[in-house]
Amino acid sequence: KIYKNLEKVKGKIFDAKMFTKLLVFVKPYNITFYGVMTSAILISLLSTLTPYLLKVVVDDYLLLKNYDGMQSIILIMIIVLFLEVVFMYLFTYYANWLGQKVIKNLRVKVFEKILKFKMSFFDKNAVGRLVTRTVNDIETIASIFSQGLFMIIADILKMVTVLTVMTIINLELTLVVISIFPILIYATRVFQKSMKVAFERVRREVANLNSFVQERISGVKIVQIFNREQLEIKNFNDINTKHRDAWLRTVWINSIFFPIAEISTSICIGLLVWWGGFNNLNGENISLGTLFLFISMSGLLFRPLRQIADRFNTLQMGMVSSERIFKILEDDSEINDNGIIEQSSFNGLIEFKNVKFSYIENQLVINDISFKIYPGETTAIVGPTGSGKTTITNLITKFYEIDSGSILIDGRDINEFKLENIRKKIGVILQDVFLFADTIFNNITLFNNEISIKDVERAAKDLEIHDFILSLPGGYDFNVSERGSTLSSGQKQLIAFLRVLVNNPDILILDEATSSIDSYSEDLIKNATKKITMGKTSIIIAHRLSTVESADKIIYMENGRILEYGNHRELLNSPNGKFKKLYEEQFVENELV
């Protein structure tokens, strides 16, 4: 039932609309495109000319023992074969060249699109699947040009040319050949539809496999800590089994179709020999050369027909991949970047007006909140887990878009500014620091050529971590490995601080930036925080309330609402206050420790 339903939905062998979308990426290479098409036409003509010349040699020279003119005919055959080889080379090379050019540009376009998506897109799509789309699926699209469409066109042209020549020379023998067609065409059609469904399943299982492996390798510590190795091996085995079965289905379909195609060709040759001999016995003169011609041409006819089915496999896989790729390219999850204002600097006035936001529709995470942070002011946002603290910072940096209300910077709606302008002027330091598998210098500058090594060293000295970096092998050229695995949590956090400091933002956001580091690193970061927040608007998301005592204002949140607002002293003096209760609980815990 599943296969029948999929067949109804995915039974389209060639999607002209989808191919039209792909042709947009072919447009810059139109000369090559038409050159490949021309080569396909010439190949079909030249491949048909060779058997006809063979007929002439047999009938007009060998049987008549007329050897005088054979040399010129053989020379012509050699020239034809040479030209066929040349055009086949040009066809094969430039069809593949075109495919690689197209997927290179397409891959860049997809990657560019993914980088501009809202965070909500990544909440719903596994990283492994996106990797599959960007790498595997796009690679498959190249085969549409190298092994799919052009080859099908070439094969169809060859078949039309062969049938035309055969019909002109002998209609009866042509009908004998054509009599096998219904069986082969029906088998080809069933084969194509079945393979379309099978390949859709293959692509789905490949995506599942990639997603599973990516997640388990990324979370290998959790797997080992909780002794989940055997269970994950079992789960991987199950997914791998589904992947194997999906591929085996394609093998099974192939194993049925190709023997049928081979038998059909053999039956056709047998019928030609029988019909030619039968007619000769009845006095009808069918020359030996004509029989040779039809036997050769039946091979030229049936081979492309078999190959077309195989080409359709490739074409269908490419079309399935194209559907997946264009779903990404046409997805409207891109961040709204319609702003036209670009300020050289922000004063740092931030205002929320009746802001509501939900990750999932009708499940508010931020519920009608309003507050104002003045320029140069340090504001701490505290509250229990899940209260919406981090969400506020995500909204300011436009990782997500609000449901209603407005967020203003310097009196202007945040949507009026260019997205790049906002991100450039707001520095964010997260609790979970992400470092690329690259040098410390590149992780700090992120390849910004405007930041020199002297700028980095100066900032590192201000943070008092210059000596620590120089103590590493290679200093600033030390490779931190994937996700910064060669550094401690505190060291990674310091690198993150340094990364923000060298970019000199006007607004600073620290999201639990000191919650997972040692006391020595915390002291360094506290000193660095004082330096970089001086005269800048700063927002500190904190779990440990001892880190926010010096904040100008403190916002206490619960369940997406602001319950208390004031400075540290005011909130502690509030009878039965939520902040006071939380502070006292943490104070008691620290005393017990």
Side-chain angles (χ1 to χ4, degrees):
K1 285 184 179 179
I2 293 172
Y3 274 103
K4 285 181 179 177
N5 291 336
L6 276 172
E7 201 168 286
K8 288 178 183 177
V9 178
K10 300 290 182 182
K12 219 171 183 180
I13 295 166
F14 180 75
D15 191 333
K17 188 177 179 182
M18 189 65 61
F19 186 69
T20 303
K21 294 177 183 178
L22 279 176
L23 284 180
V24 173
F25 294 89
V26 177
K27 198 171 182 180
Y29 313 106
N30 271 343
I31 294 175
T32 304
F33 180 82
Y34 291 118
V36 171
M37 294 291 289
T38 303
S39 296
I41 295 169
L42 292 173
I43 289 167
S44 65
L45 294 173
L46 292 169
S47 62
T48 308
L49 188 56
T50 303
Y52 182 78
L53 290 173
L54 180 62
K55 172 191 178 301
V56 173
V57 168
V58 172
D59 286 345
D60 297 347
Y61 294 96
L62 287 179
L63 292 179
L64 299 177
K65 296 183 179 180
N66 176 16
Y67 305 115
D68 295 334
M70 274 186 64
Q71 289 182 347
S72 59
I73 295 293
I74 291 172
L75 181 62
I76 292 172
M77 289 180 69
I78 292 171
I79 293 171
V80 169
L81 286 171
F82 175 76
L83 290 174
E84 189 176 354
V85 169
V86 169
F87 283 111
M88 183 61 74
Y89 162 76
L90 293 173
F91 176 84
T92 305
Y93 178 81
Y94 283 104
N96 281 276
W97 182 91
L98 181 62
Q100 290 302 317
K101 288 286 184 180
V102 168
I103 67 166
K104 180 261 182 185
N105 294 339
L106 188 58
R107 185 176 283 127
V108 170
K109 191 79 173 175
V110 170
F111 186 68
E112 181 183 355
K113 181 81 173 181
I114 289 174
L115 289 183
K116 292 181 179 179
F117 277 143
K118 304 172 189 174
M119 288 299 111
S120 56
F121 176 86
F122 300 100
D123 295 339
K124 300 171 186 174
N125 293 274
V127 174
R129 290 180 184 276
L130 294 177
V131 172
T132 301
R133 301 291 178 269
T134 312
V135 181
N136 300 61
D137 283 340
I138 291 182
E139 196 65 41
T140 306
I141 291 174
S143 61
I144 290 178
F145 300 96
S146 60
Q147 298 295 324
L149 184 68
F150 288 137
M151 288 293 189
I152 290 172
I153 292 172
D155 287 341
I156 290 174
L157 286 172
K158 188 182 291 185
M159 291 170 64
V160 170
T161 306
V162 166
L163 277 173
T164 302
V165 173
M166 290 170 72
T167 303
I168 292 170
I169 292 174
N170 192 302
L171 180 60
E172 287 185 5
L173 288 178
T174 303
L175 292 174
V176 170
V177 174
I178 291 174
S179 66
I180 305 298
F181 266 39
I183 299 171
L184 202 53
I185 289 172
Y186 177 76
T188 302
R189 177 62 179 162
V190 172
F191 173 72
Q192 291 163 354
K193 291 177 70 176
S194 300
M195 290 302 284
K196 173 73 173 178
V197 178
F199 280 132
E200 173 66 18
R201 185 183 173 193
V202 166
R203 300 312 305 162
R204 188 169 62 252
E205 295 304 334
V206 167
N208 290 338
L209 193 63
N210 286 350
S211 181
F212 183 90
V213 171
Q214 189 272 333
E215 286 182 350
R216 269 52 183 190
I217 292 177
S218 297
V220 67
K221 279 188 179 179
I222 299 299
V223 172
Q224 293 179 355
I225 288 171
F226 289 94
N227 295 315
R228 306 285 291 180
E229 292 94 335
Q230 292 305 315
L231 180 62
E232 295 300 350
I233 289 170
K234 181 183 179 299
N235 291 337
F236 180 72
N237 184 61
D238 293 340
I239 292 174
N240 222 0
T241 299
K242 290 179 181 178
H243 177 258
R244 177 204 65 193
D245 292 343
W247 271 112
L248 283 178
R249 182 170 178 81
T250 68
V251 173
W252 178 75
I253 294 169
N254 274 307
S255 66
I256 292 175
F257 172 75
F258 286 105
I260 291 174
E262 286 296 328
I263 291 170
S264 299
T265 304
S266 300
I267 291 172
C268 179
I269 293 172
L271 285 173
L272 284 172
V273 174
W274 171 75
W275 188 263
F278 177 78
N279 278 274
N280 276 324
L281 286 174
N282 289 332
E284 292 186 27
N285 186 23
I286 297 178
S287 70
L288 187 62
T290 300
L291 211 53
F292 269 118
L293 173 72
F294 270 79
I295 290 172
S296 298
M297 283 196 167
S298 65
L300 291 176
L301 194 62
F302 284 101
R303 195 180 308 118
L305 192 59
R306 290 199 307 272
Q307 288 174 343
I308 281 176
D310 199 28
R311 310 294 188 208
F312 266 111
N313 293 349
T314 304
L315 187 62
Q316 286 165 354
M317 284 192 77
M319 285 297 166
V320 169
S321 296
S322 297
E323 288 172 14
R324 295 174 183 271
I325 293 302
F326 280 101
K327 276 183 182 177
I328 292 177
L329 289 176
E330 294 167 1
D331 196 294
D332 61 356
S333 298
E334 200 166 340
I335 301 168
N336 175 26
D337 189 16
N338 298 322
I340 57 173
I341 298 174
E342 186 169 6
Q343 288 190 189
S344 58
S345 63
F346 289 144
N347 292 325
L349 175 63
I350 300 173
E351 188 174 1
F352 273 54
K353 289 185 176 180
N354 306 110
V355 173
K356 291 184 179 181
F357 171 76
S358 55
Y359 292 104
I360 302 171
E361 193 174 355
N362 299 322
Q363 295 184 25
L364 287 176
V365 177
I366 299 296
N367 192 354
D368 195 26
I369 67 170
S370 299
F371 63 87
K372 187 180 285 188
I373 300 173
Y374 291 95
E377 190 175 79
T378 297
T379 300
I381 304 176
V382 301
T385 302
S387 59
K389 304 185 297 295
T390 297
T391 300
I392 286 178
T393 65
N394 286 334
L395 297 179
I396 294 172
T397 50
K398 287 195 70 174
F399 285 130
Y400 297 89
E401 293 180 342
I402 60 176
D403 298 343
S404 63
S406 59
I407 300 174
L408 288 77
I409 298 180
D410 290 352
R412 291 184 177 274
D413 192 288
I414 196 171
N415 293 316
E416 295 180 31
F417 295 102
K418 289 184 177 180
L419 182 63
E420 183 181 2
N421 190 207
I422 294 171
R423 298 276 174 82
K424 190 175 182 180
K425 296 302 178 182
I426 299 178
V428 182
I429 302 174
L430 303 173
Q431 177 184 358
D432 183 18
V433 177
F434 187 95
L435 297 181
F436 296 95
D438 209 318
T439 65
I440 287 181
F441 178 76
N442 287 337
N443 268 288
I444 293 168
T445 64
L446 296 177
F447 298 96
N448 184 347
N449 294 326
E450 295 178 3
I451 303 172
S452 68
I453 183 64
K454 290 183 179 180
D455 295 328
V456 175
E457 289 176 348
R458 191 182 304 115
K461 288 173 182 176
D462 287 342
L463 288 181
E464 300 177 23
I465 62 171
H466 178 67
D467 292 338
F468 147 67
I469 294 175
L470 290 182
S471 69
L472 297 170
Y476 287 91
D477 292 325
F478 175 71
N479 193 305
V480 301
S481 299
E482 188 175 1
R483 299 185 69 89
S485 59
T486 55
L487 301 177
S488 69
S489 297
Q491 290 168 339
K492 287 193 289 185
Q493 198 66 263
L494 288 167
I495 297 299
F497 249 83
L498 188 53
R499 181 157 60 192
V500 170
L501 182 57
V502 295
N503 281 283
N504 192 29
D506 297 323
I507 298 170
L508 186 66
I509 296 174
L510 283 76
D511 189 354
E512 303 278 9
T514 61
S515 63
S516 61
I517 60 178
D518 54 80
S519 58
Y520 172 72
S521 298
E522 183 176 354
D523 289 337
L524 289 176
I525 288 177
K526 279 184 178 179
N527 292 330
T529 303
K530 289 178 183 178
K531 292 178 182 177
I532 65 176
T533 58
M534 191 175 298
K536 298 177 189 282
T537 302
S538 304
I539 299 173
I540 300 175
I541 309 296
H543 205 70
R544 287 189 282 184
L545 302 187
S546 60
T547 62
V548 300
E549 292 179 3
S550 60
D552 297 303
K553 289 289 190 295
I554 297 173
I555 295 173
Y556 180 86
M557 295 185 66
E558 272 189 22
N559 300 319
R561 293 180 180 273
I562 296 176
L563 300 186
E564 296 176 11
Y565 181 76
N567 60 38
H568 188 260
R569 184 180 295 277
E570 289 170 346
L571 294 181
L572 284 183
N573 290 334
S574 174
N576 301 318
K578 294 277 189 177
F579 177 83
K580 180 181 180 180
K581 182 180 179 182
L582 186 62
Y583 184 83
E584 289 173 346
E585 287 175 355
Q586 286 194 10
F587 182 77
V588 171
E589 287 176 7
N590 291 334
E591 286 292 311
L592 290 173
V593 174

